[in-house]
Each structure stands twice: as structure tokens, then as C-alpha cells.
Amino acid sequence: MLAELACFEQQCRARYAIDETIYNCPDCGGLLEVVFEPASLPGAAPDWARLWRERRTSNDLLEQSGVWRYRELLPFDGHHHQVVSLREGNTPILDAPRAARYGGLDRLTFKHQGFNPTGSFKDNGMTCGVTQAIRLDRQRVACVSTGNTSASMAAYASAAGLDSIVFIPLGNISYGKLAQALEYGARTFQVEANFDQILALVRLLADRLGIYLLNSINPFRIEGQKTIIFEMLDQRDWNPPDWIVLPGGNLGNTSAFGKALRELCQFGFIHKIPRLAVIQAEGAAPFYELIKTKGEFRSVKEPRTLATAIRIGDPVSWPKALHELTVTNGAVEKVSEQEIADAKAVIGQCGIGCEPASAATLAGIRKLTEAGTIRADDDVVAVLTGNVLKDPDYIYRYHTGELEDPDGRKIDARLGNRPVVVPNDADAIARMLGG
Ligand code: F0G
């Protein structure tokens, strides 16, 4: 496969070698994407689909990875011996009847990326990002993160023997995520600024110090995240759903999903492109506003939401996401803090659980079915991006009625499930249990 970097701006499309360390087009400043030459396409799609299925039964680490199993559609030919894998991917598709009813659907399935090694979808991208760092012979990697990216980068960098440097907004990530970065050995800086401001800072430092940047502006992260869709379609025997619903923060995942769907269509794996529905939190919804107003992109200066993973006001990948939303005839929705919290509790009641940002999906589905955008009998897959234990403090406060939104307003514990303090007395407890 001949792979190159290409400028995403349609009027530029400048090409660069796959091993250049660039994150934006040196000509016009546009975002970069990886492109394959069509001449180097693999054989017939069904043959590759069969091979990928067979690889699932292998004990080889590369085949066991839910990312590298699909390596024919990733730009690492000749570098598979350098792969850094923690057996990422392999995440389940779970049926959730209770969540379906709540969302106004006959049926709903969740593709749960929280089953990844560090507990979020970032691992799908990070295995590729860190592998590219090794290919480029970089010793230091860095990112700014609302938590999950840093946990993932720290783990993969340490597994590869690289030094990782993590920048996080002071006080605005959950302890579950910060703890991982520390445990995996990342040098961790808490900065008194928000995600968007810190990204500008890290880009500057990465340039100045020659550190490899692993935020989702890095096109190799996006390549890895494509495999979430490859695996989803593989698990559905290449039967595309009507809708794929995901939360939107920095919009890397939206870009990756759209690219994956376009490639699967182009290479003959699917014949229909599912519609993407991107859900943002009300206090951090610049992409929603862009689509609704059909105007110019306007960043949100002070994004606010308890769903810290998507607390981003100036998403770098918005031009890509806009393209993918158009190509897939997608939709956007925004949801309130109360809607996220209730939807999250419903996902918990399905025995599944997820972190707040992920629950925006179900809250968004409920609004999109009410509006008639998604129909009750549509085939819908929602992607749960992170694990339930990533934000345990939020969960405890919701269930005990102590959760407050960023403006200090109480969130109603509509589906609250408070722990009960009891005496060490069998009779008293039996009475409470109706016996
Ligand atoms: N869900 C979770 C759990 C996330 O951690 C993120 C992003 C998103 C959704 C949004 O995805 O940025 O691709 O639109 N978290 C980043 C981080 C920004 O630093 O961990 P996106």
C-alpha cells in the first residue's frame, strides 16, 4: 500500500511523505489526513473480511488486537514489527432494551469502547499514534487531555519505553483519569487554563522541543480510531446500521468514523453509509451551533459541562467533522446536564454503565427520536466512549442528590439510588427487605 499525508482542504490537497512530522499542511495550514493510493487496494472485500474474522482465533498479539487485525486499511506497511499493542479494541456490542425504551427506539445497541485496556476509545488511536512515534524514532510524546487521552498515551508510551508528558486542565478532570496518568508513569503538568488554551501551549512546546504530539490532530490517531467502525461492521456481518451516535468534543472521533465509513464504502465492504449523529453538551456545543446556524464556526470561550471529557470549546477537527457530517447526511444535537445525568443512570440500569460524556449519546437519541429525526424502528448503534469507573465521584453525587451543574444548580436525582446506612442488626435489615 502506498500511503501519504494529504491536506484536508479541498482547494489545496498538497501531499507529503507519510513519515514527515507535521500536524498541519505547511502550505495552507489545513488539517492533514492519511490517503491510500487506490492502485494498491487489497483483493476482493469478502476475502479480506474472511481473513480478518479468522485472525480473531489467533494467539498472535497483532491478530488479537482489534486495531491491527484490520492493518490492511492502516498506513503501517513494513512497520508491523514496531507495533505497540496492549490488545486494544475487541470491544463488545451490547443490546440495551431499557435504554432503547428510554431513547424512544424499538432496539438500541451500544458499542462499548470502555472495555479498552485503559478504559476508553483513545486506545484504538493511541496504539497507532505511539507506533508512529517509534517509526519516527521519537523518544518523547506529549498531549493535552481532559483525561482519557492522557491515560491512554501514558500507558502506550510506557509500554514502548518512551517518555510521556501530559498536560491537563487544573481541577477539571476526574481523579480516575488523572490517577492512570500518574500510575503509568507520565510526567504530569496541571495547567491553570482550559483544554483549548493548553492545546495551543503544548503545540508550541512540541515544536520547540521536538516532542511528538499525540492529540487527535495527529492523523495517525484518527487512522487507529477508524477501526472502531471496522470492528463494529465486522461484528454486524457488514450490515450497516441506519445511525451511529457518538459524543462530540474535539471531534476526532467524528472525523475517524466518517473516514472509516467512506473507506469501507469505497473498498466494497458496505454499500450504504450510516448517518452519524454527533451529540454535544449544551455548555460546550460549538459544532451544534455551526450546523444549526449554517454560519461561521465560532468557538466557545469558556466551555462548561460536568462531562469533562467533552468540555472543549474550540475543537480542532471541526472542518473534518463538518465534511463527514455532510457526507453521511448526519445530525447534531445538544443536551443538558440533567439529560446527560439521567441518561447515564439509565445506561447503568442496563448493567452496562459509562462515563458522563458517553451518556450524551442516549440523551441525544431521546431528543432526536422526539423530533422525528431518528425513527423508532431505525437500527441505531451508540458508541459509549468511556468506562463507568472513569468518573465515580459524579456517580456518587448523582445518586445521593448532591450533584450540581457548573452554575451551581442542583441536578435532580430522578433515577437516584442512594446507599442506606443500617445498624448491625439482622432483624432490622430483614424488616427493611420485607422479611
Ligand atoms: N468521550 C470521551 C470519554 C472522551 O474522553 C472524549 C475526548 C470524547 C468523548 C470526545 O471525543 O474529542 O474525538 O470528539 N476526550 C479527549 C481527551 C479530548 O483528552 O481525553 P472527540
Side-chain angles (χ1 to χ4, degrees), residues 180-295:
Q180 282 179 294
L182 301 178
E183 187 80 354
Y184 294 135
R187 198 154 170 200
T188 304
F189 295 107
Q190 295 181 281
V191 188
E192 284 177 326
N194 67 30
F195 178 93
D196 309 302
Q197 296 162 329
I198 305 172
L199 180 57
L201 177 79
V202 177
R203 292 194 65 164
L204 205 95
L205 288 168
D207 265 359
R208 189 185 292 181
L209 304 174
I211 302 170
Y212 194 54
L213 185 66
L214 280 174
N215 278 104
S216 59
I217 194 163
N218 183 316
F220 296 92
R221 283 265 320 273
I222 302 297
E223 287 303 297
Q225 285 168 217
K226 290 188 320 193
T227 62
I228 300 167
I229 295 294
F230 297 164
E231 188 177 74
M232 176 198 296
L233 271 298
D234 186 358
Q235 287 164 315
R236 292 174 51 100
D237 298 320
W238 306 101
N239 233 328
D242 297 311
W243 289 92
I244 296 173
V245 186
L246 75 162
N250 217 12
L251 300 172
N253 233 9
T254 307
S255 313
F257 285 14
K259 186 170 194 280
L261 292 169
R262 285 189 284 114
E263 288 178 2
L264 288 182
C265 215
Q266 182 192 346
F267 301 156
F269 289 89
I270 57 173
H271 304 288
K272 179 193 101 172
I273 292 207
R275 300 174 73 179
L276 291 178
V278 180
I279 318 296
Q280 297 206 289
E282 263 178 15
F287 191 55
Y288 170 88
E289 298 301 337
L290 172 73
I291 304 295
K292 283 292 150 187
T293 58
K294 297 192 176 77

Side-chain angles (χ1 to χ4, degrees), residues 342-361:
D342 291 337
K344 182 169 142 48
V346 172
I347 296 168
Q349 287 178 350
C350 297
I352 293 175
C354 66
E355 67 165 276
S358 314
T361 54

Side-chain angles (χ1 to χ4, degrees), residues 2 23 52 77 92 95 102 111 119 151 154 226 230 324 334-335 429 431:
L2 174 65
Y23 313 102
W52 293 341
D77 275 4
D95 218 353
Y102 183 81
K111 173 119 177 100
K226 290 188 320 193
F230 297 164
E324 306 307 352
K334 62 175 180 181
V335 290
I429 297 170
R431 266 198 306 283

Side-chain angles (χ1 to χ4, degrees), residues 41-60 62-73 77 80 90 230 234 237-238 269:
L41 279 184
D47 297 338
W48 290 97
R50 205 170 310 119
L51 176 70
W52 293 341
R53 186 65 62 87
E54 278 165 20
R55 284 178 178 164
R56 281 200 215 168
T57 60
S58 167
N59 281 333
D60 183 290
L62 210 61
E63 315 295 22
Q64 286 195 348
S65 162
V67 171
W68 296 100
R69 189 180 298 139
Y70 303 100
R71 59 188 173 274
E72 281 73 17
L73 297 182
D77 275 4
H80 295 141
N90 298 299
F230 297 164
D234 186 358
D237 298 320
W238 306 101
F269 289 89

Side-chain angles (χ1 to χ4, degrees), residues 352-371:
I352 293 175
C354 66
E355 67 165 276
S358 314
T361 54
L362 180 58
I365 289 169
R366 189 172 156 100
K367 287 182 89 166
L368 289 169
T369 53
E370 269 166 18

Side-chain angles (χ1 to χ4, degrees), residues 2-8 12-35 37 220:
L2 174 65
E4 286 180 315
L5 292 171
C7 176
F8 194 77
C12 175
R13 291 312 273 173
R15 299 277 184 119
Y16 305 95
I18 199 76
D19 54 3
E20 277 205 49
T21 307
I22 44 176
Y23 313 102
N24 285 95
C25 175
D27 273 4
C28 78
L31 296 167
L32 295 173
E33 67 169 348
V34 172
V35 287
E37 285 301 330
F220 296 92

